[in-house]
Structures are given as C-alpha cells and as structure tokens.
C-alpha cells in the first residue's frame, strides 16, 4: 500500500518527493512525546496505541499513508480534525514550515489540552490544538484551508468539511472503512479511494 501510494504521488516540493518529506517530518517528531507514560516504551511499534478516553495514537503506517495522500506543501493552512494526542498536528507543522499554519481540533477536551501543551513544548509556534465546538465539525470560522486531515471514520463524506476547503484544496479521511482523497477545484469535487482502514467513528454533530 505504501509503495503504491508513493508511485501515485509523483510530486516534488523543494526538490524532494512527497513520501520523502513525510518520512523526514515524522522522524523529526518523537512519537513518544505524545504518548502516556505507560505506553511510551512501545512508541517504535507500528500499531495504534491507547492514549485514554477510548482514543488511540494512530499506527505510523496509517499516518504516513494519509500524509502522503494529503500532499501538504510549505506555507499551507491545514486543519487536523480529531487531533487526539497532537502527534499528527506536530508532523503537519513540520510539513507546512514556518510560513504555514496548522489548527488541530479534538472532541475530548482533556486530550485537546494535553495535545496543545505537547505541541507548544516542542516549539511549534505555527500550530495549535483546540477543543472542538459542540455541534460544529471542523473550524469553518478559521477556513478555508488548503488541506484537511480527518483521523476518524465518517459514515458518508461530510459536505461541511468539503465546504471548508480552499480552491485546489485536498481532504483526506476514512469514509465507511475506505480511505478517501477528495480534491476541490473550482466547482468540481473529485474523489479517489485508497484502501481499507479502521478508525474510531467521527462525531459529526
């Protein structure tokens, strides 16, 4: 799957292939920093790890696949829905660079607070994690965004998130078990599927 995605995304930014940029960004963000003490010893394992409240820190392979599909570019504005531990928010901050911004939203308020603290601890001034507003999906008041990453499974494609994409923007999320890449170009929406993945359900209301 990872090799297939890499072949599909033959794009270069700053002279570096997308998959190489993602690997390097992930290598610069220590996963263990975003894990509870009782599971930090397992940070190098390629599997999801529990972070409390019924939420997990996603499997590194899954994160890498989603970020390759997202194709984040330096200077982008990115929304990270279901930020959880804040690990993906920090990786996205690496990918957008100092000229970009990352906003993470998380439904579980204690997780959002801890994630924000960890992102700040690592020195990312271009990223933050906030508690998601009840009844609101995403952050429409802060959009539009160049890229939106969703780390929870929707039943159907949420139009409210598509509406938060800027022209030329990309949304990556699991829908009914299938990883989708959604691109908005003018009035046209194109969607491609990229394999089966399991996630916790997305709370849409």
């Amino acid at each position: 799957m990872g090799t297939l995605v890499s072949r599909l995304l033959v794009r270069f930014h700053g002279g570096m292939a997308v998959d190489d940029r993602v690997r390097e960004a992930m290598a610069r963000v220590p996963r263990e920093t975003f894990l509870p003490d009782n599971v930090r010893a397992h940070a190098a394992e390629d599997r999801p790890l529990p972070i409390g409240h019924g939420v997990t820190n996603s499997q590194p392979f899954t994160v890498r696949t989603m970020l390759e599909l997202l194709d984040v570019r330096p200077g982008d504005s990115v929304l990270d829905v279901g930020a959880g531990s804040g690990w993906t928010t920090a990786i996205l901050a690496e990918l957008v660079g100092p000229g970009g911004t990352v906003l993470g939203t998380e439904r579980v308020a204690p997780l959002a607070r801890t994630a924000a603290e960890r992102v700040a601890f690592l020195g990312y001034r271009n990223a933050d994690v906030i508690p998601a507003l009840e009844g609101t999906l995403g952050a429409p008041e802060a959009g539009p965004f160049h890229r939106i990453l969703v780390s929870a499974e929707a039943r159907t494609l949420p139009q409210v998130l598509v509406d938060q994409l800027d022209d030329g923007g990309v949304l990556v999320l699991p829908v009914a078990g299938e990883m989708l890449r959604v691109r908005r170009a003018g009035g046209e929406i194109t969607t491609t599927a990229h394999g089966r993945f399991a996630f916790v359900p997305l709370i849409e209301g």
Side-chain angles (χ1 to χ4, degrees), residues 71-126:
D71 187 20
V72 176
R73 306 179 183 199
D76 275 352
S77 170
V78 182
L79 175 64
D80 185 16
V81 178
S85 68
W87 185 45
T88 54
T89 306
I91 298 169
L92 288 165
E94 287 280 349
L95 290 169
V96 302
T101 59
V102 183
L103 177 62
T105 62
E106 172 52 52
R107 287 281 178 187
V108 182
L111 288 180
R113 288 192 296 269
T114 302
E117 291 169 359
R118 288 169 174 166
V119 168
F121 173 76
L122 289 181
Y124 294 106
R125 305 299 177 221
N126 60 341

Side-chain angles (χ1 to χ4, degrees), residues 17-37:
V18 172
D19 56 336
D20 291 336
R21 291 189 66 242
V22 169
R23 286 195 194 93
E24 291 196 4
M26 291 181 70
R28 288 193 294 269
V29 181
R31 187 188 188 198
E32 58 270 17
T33 299
F34 296 88
L35 297 172
D37 291 342

